Amino acid sequence: MNSKYEIKRPSKEILNKIRDIEITSLSDAADFNISMNHLIKPHINKNKIVGPALTLKLEKGDSLMVQKILEIAKPGDVIVIDTSGSEENAVWGDLRSLTAKQKDLEAVIIDGAIRDIEGCREINFPIFCKYVVCASSTKSKAAEINIPIKCGGITVNPGDIIVGDLNGVISIPQENAIEIVERALEKELSVSKSREEILKGIYISESTLNKINSLES
């Protein structure tokens, strides 16, 4: 296989750790923005997804090379597609969902549109995207595979760890994954403590109260 089609995939151990952590905790744990904007949401299958990114940058209005990235994708991969700003042309439909499910892929994230919504729902392969439209795309142009792309307002690199659920989608660089996981676990301990305090009738933590008092003084 052409080397440009290969990515460095994260270990199953780190993927399993990330799967057990709330996506909001992971987002909070990063010291830079790893969260896609509010337009990227689950349209098909709202279960949590976690997997390494295969990236694809299409020419606007064309989707020929979606077939190529489906061919090279491996079980557990997440296909992430930059449509170059296309809003009117679907780059994904029920047949591509069927292919992805047959290959046991994790999900597809599309900064753009899909179609065949009823068929996609029946297949139930996870799709996160912006739009659902009627019009198809042309299938005649080259595209770039496994390069840094833009999706949901952030940069996604091949091999980044993609996490998605009802809250949205984040992209964790592999080199930052361990640090983000450690911080996220600390965040979840803090949230658990706050939840216990609320159940005991303590509605404002001491640290938050001190901040409020300092602003009001």
Side-chain angles (χ1 to χ4, degrees):
M1 182 180 290
N2 191 317
S3 61
K4 73 177 180 180
Y5 297 148
E6 289 292 339
I7 63 167
K8 179 184 177 184
R9 290 174 172 82
S11 68
K12 289 184 179 180
E13 180 183 9
I14 193 69
L15 292 177
N16 288 337
K17 285 183 179 180
I18 288 172
R19 197 178 293 276
D20 289 337
I21 300 172
E22 294 290 336
I23 193 172
T24 49
S25 297
L26 292 163
S27 178
D28 290 349
D31 55 8
F32 56 96
N33 184 29
I34 62 172
S35 300
M36 295 184 188
N37 63 39
H38 68 98
L39 295 174
I40 308 293
K41 284 291 189 289
H43 279 256
I44 307 295
N45 190 321
K46 296 173 172 52
N47 294 332
K48 186 173 185 178
I49 61 100
V50 179
L54 291 184
T55 62
L56 176 64
K57 183 173 177 59
L58 298 172
E59 290 287 331
K60 188 173 182 178
D62 196 272
S63 67
L64 174 67
M65 294 298 283
V66 173
Q67 294 302 114
K68 182 62 181 180
I69 205 164
L70 279 166
E71 178 193 11
I72 67 174
K74 296 182 179 179
D77 286 347
V78 177
I79 294 174
V80 186
I81 301 175
D82 177 349
T83 68
S84 296
S86 178
E87 298 180 5
E88 298 85 11
N89 303 95
V91 301
W92 191 277
D94 55 356
L95 294 180
R96 288 174 173 175
S97 279
L98 183 60
T99 301
K101 189 162 188 176
Q102 285 290 106
K103 296 198 67 173
D104 200 24
L105 306 189
E106 184 76 2
V108 63
I109 317 294
I110 304 171
D111 198 313
I114 67 168
R115 69 177 194 168
D116 304 319
I117 188 73
E118 291 182 353
C120 288
R121 284 174 177 162
E122 183 177 343
I123 294 163
N124 203 35
F125 176 76
I127 302 174
F128 293 71
C129 65
K130 287 182 175 179
Y131 315 110
V132 178
V133 300
C134 295
S136 183
S137 50
T138 60
K139 297 173 180 63
S140 59
K141 297 179 182 178
E144 295 181 275
I145 292 176
N146 287 337
I147 64 163
I149 62 170
K150 285 288 186 179
C151 187
I154 64 170
T155 299
V156 179
N157 292 288
D160 281 0
I161 302 169
I162 303 297
V163 187
D165 68 8
L166 284 169
N167 295 284
V169 181
I170 63 174
S171 179
I172 303 173
Q174 286 193 52
E175 61 268 25
N176 302 108
I178 293 175
E179 177 185 4
I180 287 173
V181 164
E182 290 174 350
R183 289 181 180 177
L185 290 172
E186 292 175 2
K187 171 73 175 179
E188 294 207 327
L189 286 174
S190 175
V191 169
S192 179
K193 180 181 177 182
S194 295
R195 187 176 289 110
E196 290 176 2
E197 289 178 347
I198 290 169
L199 291 173
K200 293 177 181 178
I202 304 170
Y203 304 127
I204 302 179
S205 69
E206 185 176 352
S207 61
T208 300
L209 186 59
N210 288 337
K211 286 181 182 179
I212 293 172
N213 289 338
S214 68
L215 292 172
E216 292 181 334
S217 61

